[in-house]
Amino acid sequence: MTLFLTVVVGVFLAVLYRLVITPRRVTGWVGEHFVASAYGLPPREQLDPRRPGPPPPAHRAEERQAVAEAAWEGDWKPAERYVRAAGEDWDERWARLELLQQVAREDDAWLHAWRVAEPGNCDAATLHASITVHRAWEIRGSGYAHEVMTSDMNRFRAMLPAAIEEARQAALLDPADPGPWVVMVTAARGAQYSRAQFKPLWAGLVARAPHHYEGHWQALQYWCAKWFGSDRRMMRFARQAVRKAPPGSPLAGIYLHALNELTDRPISAALPVTPMTRNLLKRIAASFDQVEPDDERLPTLRHLLAHYMLRSMMYAPALEQFRLIGPWCGAHPWRADGNPATAFEVARGTAAKLSRTRPSATPQVYGMGR
């Protein structure tokens, strides 16, 4: 028994050293000795905290600006063509609707004109329903229920049933389009839908788009402990997303959002540093390698992946993610303490030091979109 306890204490102290003492010592090393370029990383003076990743290609930015300007001038037809051009790439179609939602926040007269001109257009109806949901959430705010004024909560809850009904009507306009179902799934938690009420909405969404990224993110929110699920249900849902993510989709990144839900809250749960977690993180990294380099969701997800690899003591894989990220550091979690460049520098320096990677005299610098 004494020998057993000695072994247990020894293992505990070794883990404590790696989790607490070693990172503190490494932070000092990073500040005094870390030369990023020697590890294939951009030097600190090149770090850019303004964005999580590179800006979109010029042609894509120009197209979006042209659609927005036309809408603000009262012409809704470019917006209609812009969404329709996505075809049945439902993730892309939703991303374009989200852009139009931002455009409508400035001025939505064009959207009303579109709906009058094309009352049977599913995209226009879905967009209007989605805007109603987001306006309701803006009234409520992002705080916990006890932090929200009663009047604001009442207005919030009064708006959601109408938005859900509007989305149901939009779904009748194009039975194949998952967009209205994403709106319903998004609104369900705020409308306090029970699990029995939520499940048909989720079934309707995945029947039309089984790998819809935004739909999965919204469902993850429903299944988290602060709404109508639990940590166990949320993590099971997230693991399923990793398993069913098709090649080329960033869907596996839903698991990273689940980890963030666990660890980034007032009373955070411990990160599950287990062989299963590490295997899932490796699987997510492999999945991301198949995603198009210019997918605008990818940079934010790589930051989370590097962060959780680092916390899982996967130092060499984390270093590879930092190489792929390049100089961009304007992302969560580096922004949490108000100085993203410093937090990012410490994190990638820690990965370099604890991975035991040998510094190179003639390094190759990687970047996002390799």
Side-chain angles (χ1 to χ4, degrees):
M1 188 66 177
T2 302
L3 178 61
F4 174 76
L5 288 175
T6 301
V7 172
V8 169
V9 171
V11 170
F12 173 78
L13 291 175
V15 171
L16 182 66
Y17 182 84
R18 294 188 68 184
L19 289 175
V20 179
I21 299 173
T22 299
R24 288 178 180 173
R25 294 180 62 182
V26 170
T27 299
W29 175 86
V30 172
E32 295 177 12
H33 304 293
F34 177 51
V35 179
S37 59
Y39 296 90
L41 300 164
R44 174 161 185 163
E45 56 268 22
Q46 292 182 12
L47 297 185
D48 190 338
R50 296 171 297 175
R51 300 179 53 86
H59 69 88
R60 190 181 298 174
E62 290 167 2
E63 180 184 31
R64 293 170 178 172
Q65 188 63 32
V67 167
E69 290 177 355
W72 292 329
E73 291 172 2
D75 187 359
W76 53 266
K77 291 181 181 178
E80 186 276 333
R81 291 192 296 268
Y82 178 66
V83 179
R84 178 161 44 87
E88 294 186 2
D89 182 342
W90 299 120
D91 274 351
E92 176 62 22
R93 200 174 186 112
W94 184 261
R96 295 184 180 206
L97 283 176
E98 287 188 319
L99 172 69
L100 295 183
Q101 186 168 279
Q102 295 175 27
V103 173
R105 292 183 68 174
E106 298 290 329
D107 179 1
D108 62 0
W110 61 273
L111 177 56
H112 291 294
W114 182 9
R115 297 192 72 206
V116 170
E118 294 189 345
N121 188 291
C122 180
D123 291 321
T126 301
L127 179 57
H128 191 269
S130 182
I131 288 172
T132 302
V133 173
H134 281 266
R135 284 175 177 165
W137 279 102
E138 286 173 359
I139 291 169
R140 183 197 183 282
S142 59
Y144 286 88
H146 69 274
E147 301 171 338
V148 182
M149 292 176 58
T150 302
S151 58
D152 289 342
M153 185 65 80
N154 290 340
R155 290 174 62 199
F156 167 68
R157 289 177 176 165
M159 292 175 70
L160 292 178
I164 292 173
E165 180 56 31
E166 192 173 354
R168 289 189 190 278
Q169 294 302 315
L172 299 176
L173 300 175
D174 185 353
D177 192 335
W181 297 87
V182 177
V183 176
M184 288 185 271
V185 165
T186 302
R189 65 184 185 275
Q192 298 184 303
Y193 271 31
S194 67
R195 294 172 187 173
Q197 291 173 299
F198 177 80
K199 287 180 179 179
L201 301 183
W202 178 244
L205 172 56
V206 296
R208 292 160 176 81
H211 308 118
H212 199 287
Y213 184 89
E214 178 65 17
H216 276 78
W217 191 90
Q218 295 295 345
L220 182 79
Q221 294 301 306
Y222 181 90
W223 289 119
C224 72
K226 66 187 177 186
W227 287 103
F228 296 97
S230 63
D231 290 349
R232 181 180 61 82
R233 288 178 181 273
M234 178 184 70
M235 295 311 299
R236 182 174 64 189
F237 179 85
R239 289 192 296 270
Q240 289 172 349
V242 177
R243 286 193 289 269
K244 69 182 182 181
S249 168
L251 183 63
I254 293 296
Y255 183 78
L256 302 173
H257 289 298
L259 292 180
N260 199 53
E261 283 289 339
L262 283 180
T263 60
D264 190 26
R265 59 193 185 192
I267 302 177
S268 62
L271 180 69
V273 182
T274 65
M276 181 176 69
T277 299
R278 293 189 178 100
N279 286 336
L280 284 166
L281 293 175
K282 290 177 183 177
R283 187 167 177 173
I284 292 167
S287 177
F288 286 175
D289 287 343
Q290 300 180 67
V291 177
E292 288 295 325
D294 65 350
D295 190 308
E296 292 179 51
R297 295 164 293 187
L298 190 56
T300 298
L301 291 173
R302 282 205 188 278
H303 285 284
L304 285 175
L305 179 57
H307 173 63
Y308 285 113
M309 282 182 160
L310 197 59
R311 291 190 60 173
S312 299
M313 297 181 284
M314 300 170 64
Y315 301 118
L319 178 60
E320 177 60 17
Q321 293 304 312
F322 283 118
R323 287 171 175 158
L324 291 166
I325 288 168
W328 314 100
C329 59
H332 183 79
W334 325 121
R335 284 179 168 175
D337 65 355
N339 194 331
T342 297
F344 185 73
E345 180 77 349
V346 169
R348 64 184 190 151
T350 299
K353 179 66 173 177
L354 297 184
S355 68
R356 299 184 180 180
T357 300
R358 283 190 169 188
S360 172
T362 56
Q364 177 184 2
V365 176
Y366 295 84
M368 185 73 71
R370 187 184 69 174

